[in-house]
Amino acid sequence: MTKHLARLGGLAAVLMSTLHAAPPVMEAVDAKMKAFVEAKEIAGVVTLVADDEKILHLSAVGFSEIDKKTPMPTDAVFWIASMTKPVTATAVMMMQEEGKLSMDDSVAKYLPEFRYLKDAAGNEVVITLKQCLTHSSGLSDLTPEETKNLTSLKELTPVVAAKPVQFPPGSKWQYCQTGINTAARIVEVVSGKSFPEFVQDRLFDPLGMKDTSFYPNAELVARLATSYKRTDAGELEKADLFFLNGKSPSEKGRYPMANGGLFSTATDYSIFARMILRGGEWDGKRYLKEETVKQMTSVQSGDLVTGFTPGNAWGLGWCVVREPQGVSAALSPGSFGHGGLFGTQAWIDPVKKRIYLLFIQRANFTNQGGSDGSDIRRDFQNAAAK
């Protein structure tokens, strides 16, 4: 193609510049983000807005590292934390489509250690895969001390199964990390691959998500945005990624946190999000059937009261906006997505055909009801939706 364009002289230059033009920038979004940087709410941010065909906005504001005054690049790598959960759910649904599991199956069908699952009174308990993905299983979460020496999901699940179930499965919603990891372990059992291998082979490689990994290489680590927390004095100071226990993100001596261990970039995650928005298809390849995507991203939690912000329900690994309000007011009913502990957000509006990605690295949003309820998320979505 380049050779043909070269024969066209000046017109070729115009065509080539168009082909390689940077994505547009929404000035209203940048203005809001710059205000948060100047107020020392965040060090820097990457924002991305897309429809099902193209990127409508991509911009970086502020710093990747404050001390060095390193500008935030649009290809900065972030720990996306619980934005991993929709990826895990997608892997589970792939296995359902292949007939290797069902949402209504008991976990014990695949993981023998769960045959002896009990509640605090010693009564036997049965949980389903669907309950794991809707945060209604009642499984107990583990402490950092209990997980720091675990190197695989195979080692993790017996520790989970040994702890008492906290409430009758299906009776309430309680955000649960171990349920998601248990679902990922089932993917390993039925696929015959480790979970990192499975998502690499079935999602990341074919989608072209070259910057997404549980164990980012040295090149990706070099692009990792520094994490910060806000002090009581209104300053930003560095915050460790606690689950690494002081080690490099590249080191593989820790289990793959299917609940929240992925690193990625805004552009990479936008490919995954657009594939879901398009009903499971991307670049001519089908990853999931449309009806499977609809099942995964529609309400599966019934009438249970769910978090994290008002008006939500839960799909399978995805939060669903049942009644938009507050921070979700700019989204249509039926929108779905997930946030991450350090402020990252990914929301898909199937009515407006829009994707909203907010990539930041700030630890303590507790005073705003968690990162899902942050002013940054609200102002970003409001500005981007106009």
Side-chain angles (χ1 to χ4, degrees), residues 119 125 127 135-139 164-174:
D119 61 19
V125 177
I127 62 169
H135 300 283
S136 61
S137 67
L139 288 174
V165 172
Q166 301 177 75
F167 53 82
S171 66
K172 64 181 287 188
W173 183 93
Q174 182 171 295

Side-chain angles (χ1 to χ4, degrees), residues 29 33 47-48 356-357 376-384:
V29 171
M33 297 302 102
T47 50
L48 187 151
Y356 305 96
L357 300 183
I376 303 172
R377 174 195 171 185
R378 179 201 62 207
D379 287 4
F380 162 58
Q381 288 178 174
N382 288 347

